[in-house]
Amino acid sequence: MELGCFLAGALLSSQGQICTTEVMGCIEPIRDFLAIIFFASIGFHVFPTFVLYELTILVVLTLSLVIMKFLMAVLVLSAILPKGSRHIRWIVSAGLAQVSEFSFVLGSRARRAGIISREVYLLVLSVTTLSLLLAPVLWRAATHKWVPRAERKTLARPPPLLPHPAD
């Protein structure tokens, strides 16, 4: 199924900007609805009292994890990318700095198997959630620093579906 989705996406993107824009206009409401459900389900798993009691350790763990992932990505991309693409290295590293939502799956499996305690599981959930909340801030900072002002607007919002009648 995943290969079929990939091929369908590749086929649609090869049809040109107009086709891609029309399809994205149809898919955007569904994508936004699924994103709302995803983030609401994350909110159901985080316990506010646990976050308040363990706030200092959560902040320290989240910041150290995000900073370490950011620096490691910069280091790896510095070795791979050519010297003239410094801005790409910083932007991609900012996008990779958060903890993946797959950690929710791994944490719940480890909790059910008895590998980790309830407190460690709650730490994993909270750090993952905080890093996901921190990701847009990192992205905005990286694009503000390294992307020229004219290109920032295209990264911030998608292109309009249809041209304006006055154009």
Side-chain angles (χ1 to χ4, degrees), residues 123-142:
L123 276 174
V124 168
L125 285 178
S126 300
V127 167
T128 302
T129 304
L130 289 175
S131 75
L132 287 172
L133 291 173
L134 193 59
V137 175
L138 278 172
W139 179 259
R140 177 67 107 192

Side-chain angles (χ1 to χ4, degrees), residues 75-86:
L75 183 68
V76 169
L77 290 172
S78 296
I80 295 172
L81 294 175
K83 299 292 182 203
S85 59
R86 175 182 289 171

